[in-house]
Amino acid sequence: MVRIITRLGIIKQELEDLETSKVDFKIGTIVGKMRAIIADDEVEFKSGDVKPVKIQNIKVPANHVCFLYAYAENSYGHVIAVGEETPLPLTMDREVDHATFVAALDGGIIKDDLLGVLILLPMELMKKI
């Protein structure tokens, strides 16, 4: 009997691992995670202000890119970026702890308010950066 060895077994295993891993959504063959951006501080603002807001830590695994969900989750404004004190390369585990918030209306944010949603998508680098 002849056994044909290909990458097919490896590919099937990778797909099975993805399907059983902790993912929150799938679009076609793309799987991802969604994380709530939750305020960890109180901030007052006026319409048009752009302010940093301390948020509850969100772990970003190595080799994952971050996207902000475009639907407005907070009636006072929008998160336009997230980050951490010391930016790390994409290839390392990261943990965001603050967001940049743009106010559309006068008001304030209190601790535990939902500010937005962060989408994490796994990726593979094809060449060294």
Side-chain angles (χ1 to χ4, degrees), residues 44-115:
E44 293 290 324
F45 45 75
K46 293 197 180 291
S47 176
D49 286 351
V50 178
K51 291 192 174 185
V53 178
K54 184 170 174 29
I55 60 170
Q56 294 176 6
N57 289 8
I58 301 172
K59 293 181 186 290
V60 178
N63 298 317
H64 278 67
V65 292
C66 300
F67 292 94
L68 291 166
Y69 180 60
Y71 186 83
E73 297 289 343
N74 188 286
S75 59
Y76 288 109
H78 308 278
V79 172
I80 60 167
V82 295
E84 57 190 317
E85 185 177 340
T86 305
L88 296 173
L90 180 72
T91 56
M92 295 178 68
D93 287 337
R94 293 155 287 153
E95 194 165 338
V96 298
D97 59 6
H98 66 272
T100 304
F101 189 82
V102 177
L105 304 170
D106 293 350
I109 291 169
I110 60 172
K111 187 176 169 112
D112 295 329
D113 274 358
L114 176 64
L115 303 180

